[in-house]
Amino acid sequence: MFLALREFKHAKLRFIMIGMILVLISWLVFILSGLGNGLSSLSAATFKNMDADFVVFEEGSRHSMLRSVISEDLSEELMEQEHVNDAAPMGSQTAVILKEDATSDDGKIDASLLGINPGTFLEPEVIEGQALTEGKDQEVIVNDVLKNEGIKLGDTLEIEGTDKVIKVVGFVENESFNHLPAIFMTMDAWRDIHFAAPGSDMGVSNPVNAIMLQGNEIIPEEVDQAIQGIETATKQEAINGIPGYTAENGTIMMMLGFLLAISAFVITVFFYVMTLQKSNQFGIMKAIGASDGFLGRAVVSQIFLLAVVSIGLGILLTYGTAAIFPEGMPFELNPTLVISYALVLLVVSVLSSLLSVRKITKIDPLQAIGRVE
């Protein structure tokens, strides 16, 4: 460590330039992770937030709410299955809602209508106003981001293409589905909208899109065998079935992977070149008794300290950038995720020093001392 600190002091500009490259790489990694997390939350926040372990779909729906129509009556059969603690139906539909007295397209808002039974484990916690009430089908609770659209408690909204009018009685937070703010309503109200066209329910009584199950020890295959016409998926499989979710996350993860690979390559090249430039110095030190281990630890210490400082600055820049992003930007910094990527960057940086350490072990003191620079 002593040798590493001395060299930092002696070659400030060189290490500042390398550090700045590491800062920019880490900054970009954290920004991308925040964007990926934000897009992921927009797409599947409601599924991620719900206190469910498994999801029951129509057989052949490939774990998608859009393709699935089953009967709510199956909830009773599902409750009788082993390890099932509770079951709650859910329905979803994309719709355009119109603010009260809207006179132009500015009053139109895209939203996801989610049908649930009031009082079940699927109903999110209300942060303002009141929860849903059974029998009051005109009442809804909405994501608080709709406040930015001028929606307030007590407002009445129209659903485009229908004669339905809904009333906002409560606000929830961090609830979105298919990249749209969620509007929770009673299951009966949702059915009236989603299956308004004759025959659209395909003859299914009390149709819903899926039934959520609670129970950590549920075995999906056994449930599917016991009840015909269904397929049971884990919560994560249901999230992956949301349109665009897997593609979005795959793209972000691929970009992050390339960034980490690039950062490893850049750090390796810089320090390897610096090691080559200092071959005669390392040779002299080895000649006067410095061991390969001592010199190797000095190089690793240099990279470790430089990476820690650079990654720390990258985190500060990321939070500073997040503070000035527009409110509608799908950006969400998860502290756990930030720490995880910081550790990955640190490990990649330290591992990249191994080539330099290997080069040091191969330096012949006599040849290094005799080399003309």
Side-chain angles (χ1 to χ4, degrees):
M1 187 65 75
F2 170 78
L3 184 61
L5 293 175
R6 293 280 294 181
E7 191 165 6
F8 276 142
K9 185 177 179 181
H10 176 72
K12 299 185 186 70
L13 183 60
R14 179 188 300 172
F15 286 105
I16 286 174
M17 293 176 66
I18 298 174
M20 286 303 300
I21 293 173
L22 285 174
V23 168
L24 293 174
I25 290 174
S26 60
W27 187 16
L28 188 54
V29 166
F30 295 131
I31 289 291
L32 278 176
S33 67
L35 287 171
N37 201 35
L39 286 171
S40 173
S41 295
L42 268 180
S43 180
T46 295
F47 263 39
K48 290 183 176 181
N49 295 339
M50 67 184 184
D51 186 20
D53 300 300
F54 292 87
V55 184
V56 176
F57 297 99
E58 179 186 0
E59 186 177 14
S61 62
R62 300 198 298 277
H63 307 160
S64 172
M65 296 276 283
L66 296 176
R67 305 186 190 99
S68 174
V69 178
I70 58 176
S71 175
E72 181 182 351
D73 301 338
L74 290 176
S75 298
E76 297 179 4
E77 292 185 59
L78 290 167
M79 285 291 294
E80 296 174 359
Q81 302 304 310
E82 190 176 9
H83 305 306
V84 175
N85 300 325
D86 202 355
M90 181 178 179
S92 70
Q93 178 183 350
T94 301
V96 176
I97 60 174
L98 298 145
K99 292 190 290 186
E100 189 176 18
D101 302 326
T103 57
S104 69
D105 288 344
D106 293 336
K108 295 184 177 182
I109 303 170
D110 295 325
S112 283
L113 306 181
L114 301 177
I116 59 173
N117 286 330
T120 62
F121 60 84
L122 294 181
E123 185 172 6
E125 181 181 356
V126 175
I127 60 171
E128 185 180 347
Q130 65 184 46
L132 294 175
T133 304
E134 191 69 50
K136 296 185 177 180
D137 295 341
Q138 78 281 7
E139 295 182 352
V140 297
I141 54 178
V142 305
N143 193 350
D144 60 351
V145 298
L146 291 178
K147 289 181 179 180
N148 299 330
E149 303 289 344
I151 293 178
K152 305 180 294 297
L153 286 177
D155 282 358
T156 56
L157 309 170
E158 297 178 6
I159 300 175
E160 190 176 50
T162 74
D163 58 356
K164 300 296 180 182
V165 176
I166 54 179
K167 180 181 179 182
V168 178
V169 297
F171 284 105
V172 296
E173 62 180 350
N174 299 324
E175 295 288 345
S176 59
F177 190 70
N178 280 336
H179 300 96
L180 299 174
I183 296 179
F184 293 87
M185 56 180 56
T186 65
M187 188 61 71
D188 288 337
W190 175 81
R191 284 196 193 98
D192 289 342
I193 298 168
H194 191 67
F195 299 106
S200 59
D201 59 5
M202 296 179 288
V204 177
S205 63
N206 297 321
V208 297
N209 288 139
I211 299 176
M212 314 301 169
L213 304 180
Q214 285 185 329
N216 293 324
E217 299 180 1
I218 295 173
I219 302 176
E221 293 78 13
E222 292 184 358
V223 176
D224 294 347
Q225 290 175 3
I227 303 175
Q228 292 184 348
I230 66 169
E231 61 181 31
T232 306
T234 64
K235 181 178 176 179
Q236 187 57 53
E237 287 174 338
I239 291 173
N240 292 339
I242 296 173
Y245 180 86
T246 302
E248 287 173 357
N249 280 274
T251 301
I252 296 294
M253 292 305 296
M254 184 181 68
M255 294 170 68
L256 286 171
F258 273 114
L259 268 177
L260 293 174
I262 291 169
S263 65
F265 179 77
V266 168
I267 297 168
T268 300
V269 169
F270 271 115
F271 278 90
Y272 186 71
V273 171
M274 288 174 62
T275 300
L276 291 177
Q277 292 175 339
K278 297 184 294 183
S279 293
N280 62 328
Q281 299 174 23
F282 285 131
I284 293 171
M285 294 181 70
K286 291 177 75 171
I288 62 176
S291 65
D292 288 336
F294 174 79
L295 297 176
R297 286 193 295 273
V299 171
V300 173
S301 298
Q302 281 182 344
I303 297 179
F304 179 81
L305 290 174
L306 192 65
V308 167
V309 174
S310 300
I311 293 169
L313 289 173
I315 292 174
L316 292 177
L317 281 171
T318 303
Y319 276 98
T321 306
I324 62 175
F325 273 157
E327 192 169 350
M329 176 77 72
F331 188 85
E332 182 179 335
L333 279 176
N334 185 323
T336 303
L337 202 62
V338 170
I339 293 172
S340 298
Y341 280 117
L343 291 175
V344 170
L345 283 169
L346 184 59
V347 170
V348 167
S349 299
V350 172
L351 289 177
S352 68
S353 66
L354 297 181
L355 187 61
S356 297
V357 173
R358 184 173 181 274
K359 178 63 179 176
I360 290 173
T361 63
K362 293 182 174 298
I363 293 175
D364 186 333
L366 294 178
Q367 290 182 356
I369 292 171
R371 196 180 81 181
V372 179
E373 291 293 317

